[in-house]
Amino acid sequence: MNQRIAFKLNGQSVVYEGSAADRLLDVLRQTYRLTGVKCGCNEGECGACSVLIDGHLANSCMVAMGRVANCEVTTIEGFSQTKRFEVLERAYAAVSAVQCGYCIPGMILASECVLARHPHPTETEIRSGLSGNLCRCTGYNAIVQAIQIAAREGEGLW
Amino acid sequence: MKPISQSVIKKDHLAKASGSAIYVADYDPGQMLQGLILRSPHAHARILSIEYPELPKGYFAVDYRDVPGINEVHIVKDDTPVYANTTVEYIGDPVMMLVGPDERELKRLLPQVKVEYEVLPPVIDVRDGDTVFFDYHFGKGDMDAALAQADQIFEETFETGYQEQAYLEPQGLIADFNQGKITVRGSMQCPYYVHGALAKAMGLPPDKVRVIQDVTGGGFGGKEDYPSILACQVAVAAYKAQGKPVRVIFGRREDMEFTSKRHPSLCTYKAAVKNGRVTALDAKVIFNAGAYTTLSAVVLQRGIIAASGVYDIPALKVHGQAVKTNTVPNGAYRGFGAPQTFFAIEMLMEHIAKASGEEPLAFKLRHLVRQGDETSTGGRYHFPVPLPAMVEEVRQMSDFDQKRRLYAQPQSGTTRRGIGISLWFHGAGFTGSGERDIIKAVCRLHKFPDGRVEILASQSDIGQGIKTTLCKIVANELNLLLDQVSYDNPDTDRVPDSGPTVASRSLMTVGELLRRAAIRLRSQWQEGKDQTVEEHFKEPDFVIPFYIDKFQGDAYPTYAWGVCAVEVQVDTLTGFNEILSTWASFDVGTPIDLNIVTGQMEGGLLQGLGYASMEQMAADSKGRIRNNSFSDYIIPTSMDVPLMKVKLHVEPYPDGPYGAKGAGELPLVGAAPAYMSALEQALSGPIYHIPFSAEDALKLIKQSRRAEA
Ligand code: FES
Ligand code: FES
């Protein structure tokens, strides 16, 4: 049964016509062709599909479309247009925290959430903020360092 | 630090960070058909018949009868069928593929395919195996005399489990058959392996086969051999689809349960000790190959060549077997057989030392190989062995001696701590003469009239940064800016075969070839001209030729070295352990990029620690693997190793680019025994297997309590 679900996607008002039970991940990738949102497991275990819903980190594979009605959804495509992304991206670059890249869109959004909550995060706060996002390549050290650098360089942004 | 080691922004950084990099699953699905594989539910059975339901328009079935060439996947021995023909040999063996435009419809239709089987008895436990795929023997010295003269003889059996590569991007490929030519693209490490497999299965000449690597979300060996199998399956589907591309993307469960993993192993080691020194080692190594041979021969070779670890043991007898079971075929995984044997030798050395009342580290240091010594296969350690200095570094970083002493004291409360250390090497590049006799790498540099240079080679960037490091080398030799040198994802229509992206060879071997090509281009450089230079592999002169039939000679031209210490804390009530810290020193020669190498070392080390304890996967009595999701197969998160310190020790290799040698696999190889040594100290009991679980810890606690009482 098709429904009209209105929400904000990367700053734009959109209306999704489909089932409220459709999964946000599929809709983002297929309907809106936002393929920066990755699928690593499809069952809420890896964080590759992370998006922001009203500023909170969410695994889009576990979110039904009904839940995003009137919400603000931000994917890496939208976030990459921001000043905060620029700071994070440069920090990730400085320590080469991107390896295969598959976890990275999710990681960057998780980093954003860490900094939004703790503009001056401790290492423990960073590690716990990333704990829902698996990375098989880096061993996480570089990502943790990138967030520390971003916190310094982006002083005042968060 | 050499200038070349200075880190740069990786070539693929921004595309990946901004989410604009296109992986195989990201191409518009509207343009292609999807495929879904029907797999055997039995570990061993004869196929009696396959019956298809009436399929809606646009849907079709593909099985062995559709294979236009030979129904075999070319890997090493070609016993893996593209689609099962007469029998199925493991749970998950692909029987057929259903193809059509809508995935949901495919999922609905697939259970309606009726396959009739005659169930046959399977072999699940490797101990029951009666088919030996590969059987190798080698040795040196006088084993009998050493055993006869020994003060003491130790015999122990070690067991290691599966490890799943768990790259974050599951396997996926797209095939397209057009005008008599097959094109396959997607997630892979070795475009030319896939190319060779396709030519055989499709019955096509090489120029009618094209393979393109897309941005690949991790490999770790899991995309070395497996994509050849999947490529043939998808290609056959595309052949039948008449001009429409077909894509298969695995779900996580399908990927975890049915694709290749690290070989479980069983190592029985017997050592003779005379005057406090190990004089002989008799090692029997059994790898569980799974149902087909895939890469087991080469994995086993690397495993057994490392049987005596980093120790100089005068008499050696090694017997290795890869045994068939009716379980998922095991293949390449970072370390390639060596993590199994390093676990065995390191733990054995620990146990011998403890039995003679010596600190394991001191005992190990007394046995180290040195430059000029003979290797297990009668080759030489041609270059300095930096282990003593690296041990010193790790000792200092970790405050090892003091902690080791402290944790040896009786501990009170409900937690116990321990610290352990391990030492290892990784043979850099292909085992034996593979590089010279089989791969024969070729690469090219193409200079455009405007002075930009493109690298033409078949290395896949799977996250290890090879795109960046190869460009750095060429830019450096030609005095160009990094932006002026490019390297695209390999496309076999455009690039020569510079070999697969495996065995920690890409940077060391192909990097050096490109460096030489760049020197040649520099000497012939003509402004404004379009120029191409080509370079072919040549084995370094110092190498003692290796003969695989005798296991004699230099199995590797040089070695990368590793030392790692791990500190753990165990909760004696629950058995759960946590890693407090880990410190490591790695020698991979000159780092071509400090950040990139450090990232490889850290990521590999974490995988090695996961292998030892939390990453648990097993086949049940029917041969089914149930740990097929990230909730049942746990890989380390950012919380699991709160402190990891890695130091690079540089022992340059003269025949690698600027002194670089193999790097990618090293950090994983010997991490497990350091961890287990720490647990042995915390639990005051011996450990003979990994992965080591909380239940195992509780058992050991009980045992040692009983022993105390
Ligand atoms: S794909 Fe959503 S958590 Fe893994
Ligand atoms: S960079 Fe590969 S999974 Fe994180």
Side-chain angles (χ1 to χ4, degrees), chain A residues 32-103:
Chain A
Y32 297 102
R33 300 287 304 130
L34 296 168
T35 55
V37 192
K38 301 297 180 205
C39 176
C41 71
N42 232 347
E43 42 194 64
E45 296 286 349
C46 77
C49 64
S50 295
V51 298
L52 302 179
I53 301 179
D54 292 337
H56 296 286
L57 196 67
N59 289 331
S60 62
C61 69
M62 299 303 280
V63 175
M65 282 309 289
R67 229 205 81 198
V68 302
N70 305 315
C71 290
E72 173 124 30
V73 175
T74 307
T75 69
I76 189 69
E77 286 87 351
F79 185 67
S80 64
Q81 304 306 313
T82 65
K83 190 97 193 95
R84 287 178 173 187
F85 171 79
E86 223 175 276
V87 173
L88 273 167
E89 173 270 302
R90 262 193 258 130
Y92 270 63
V95 288
S96 306
V98 178
Q99 290 195 26
C100 83
Y102 208 73
C103 72

Side-chain angles (χ1 to χ4, degrees), chain B residues 521-540:
Chain B
L521 177 59
R522 192 177 62 204
S523 69
Q524 303 171 0
W525 189 278
Q526 288 176 293
E527 278 315 319
K529 283 259 164 61
D530 195 279
Q531 287 176 280
T532 301
V533 295
E534 186 171 289
E535 198 68 38
H536 293 247
F537 176 77
K538 197 183 142 290
E539 190 163 76

Side-chain angles (χ1 to χ4, degrees), chain B residues 65 94 162 164 181 194 212 227 243 287 326 349 372 392 428 431 436 447 487 508 526 554 587 650 670 699:
Chain B
R65 289 166 292 202
Y162 282 115
E164 159 62 29
K181 183 164 181 167
V194 175
I212 306 165
F287 282 3
N326 293 104
M349 292 295 278
E392 231 5 79
T431 299
R436 185 194 63 205
K447 166 180 162 288
Y487 181 40
M508 177 179 83
Q526 288 176 293
D554 277 331
D587 164 36
V650 180
K699 260 188 242 155

Side-chain angles (χ1 to χ4, degrees), chain B residues 170-304:
Chain B
Q171 306 264 0
L173 294 172
I174 299 169
D176 191 5
F177 188 76
N178 249 309
Q179 293 170 343
K181 183 164 181 167
I182 186 76
T183 301
V184 170
R185 66 181 312 148
S187 191
M188 66 181 78
Q189 293 177 222
C190 313
Y192 272 100
Y193 278 3
V194 175
H195 189 270
L198 285 170
K200 180 168 188 185
M202 299 298 288
L204 291 170
D207 62 318
K208 294 293 180 199
V209 178
R210 179 180 184 187
V211 180
I212 306 165
Q213 183 234 352
D214 278 306
V215 180
T216 296
F220 317 116
K223 293 170 184 169
E224 172 173 345
D225 48 327
Y226 197 82
S228 295
I229 303 172
L230 184 58
C232 292
Q233 291 158 349
V234 191
V236 174
Y239 180 71
K240 206 169 176 181
Q242 301 284 349
K244 278 218 172 167
V246 178
R247 175 164 63 186
V248 173
I249 305 284
F250 282 175
R252 178 59 58 186
R253 286 176 184 256
E254 185 173 24
D255 194 303
M256 276 202 169
E257 195 172 340
F258 304 127
T259 68
S260 63
K261 309 171 199 317
R262 187 183 307 290
H263 293 70
S265 75
L266 204 57
C267 290
T268 304
Y269 275 36
K270 189 156 118 185
V273 178
K274 171 99 185 153
N275 299 331
R277 205 178 182 299
V278 180
T279 50
L281 177 70
D282 184 342
K284 167 112 199 241
V285 177
I286 297 174
F287 282 3
N288 178 351
Y292 300 111
T293 59
T294 65
L295 289 170
S296 288
V298 254
V299 173
L300 179 64
Q301 287 163 15
R302 189 180 277 274
I304 59 177

Side-chain angles (χ1 to χ4, degrees), chain B residues 375-454:
Chain B
T375 66
S376 67
T377 58
R380 288 263 172 279
Y381 292 102
H382 295 278
F383 303 101
V385 176
L387 285 173
M390 294 165 66
V391 165
E392 231 5 79
E393 285 161 14
V394 171
R395 245 180 170 155
Q396 303 248 332
M397 278 197 281
S398 61
D399 203 358
F400 186 82
D401 296 359
Q402 204 194 326
K403 284 179 182 159
R404 182 86 190 166
R405 268 198 305 275
L406 183 66
Y407 301 151
Q409 305 296 318
Q411 301 185 41
S412 57
T414 56
T415 58
R416 298 281 179 277
R417 288 188 174 195
I419 189 166
I421 195 165
S422 59
L423 286 60
W424 70 95
F425 65 64
H426 195 68
F430 263 103
T431 299
S433 57
E435 198 70 67
R436 185 194 63 205
D437 297 342
I438 301 167
I439 301 301
K440 302 180 179 139
V442 181
C443 63
R444 288 189 203 114
L445 287 177
H446 175 212
K447 166 180 162 288
F448 296 93
D450 65 3
R452 285 175 306 120
V453 172
E454 185 186 6

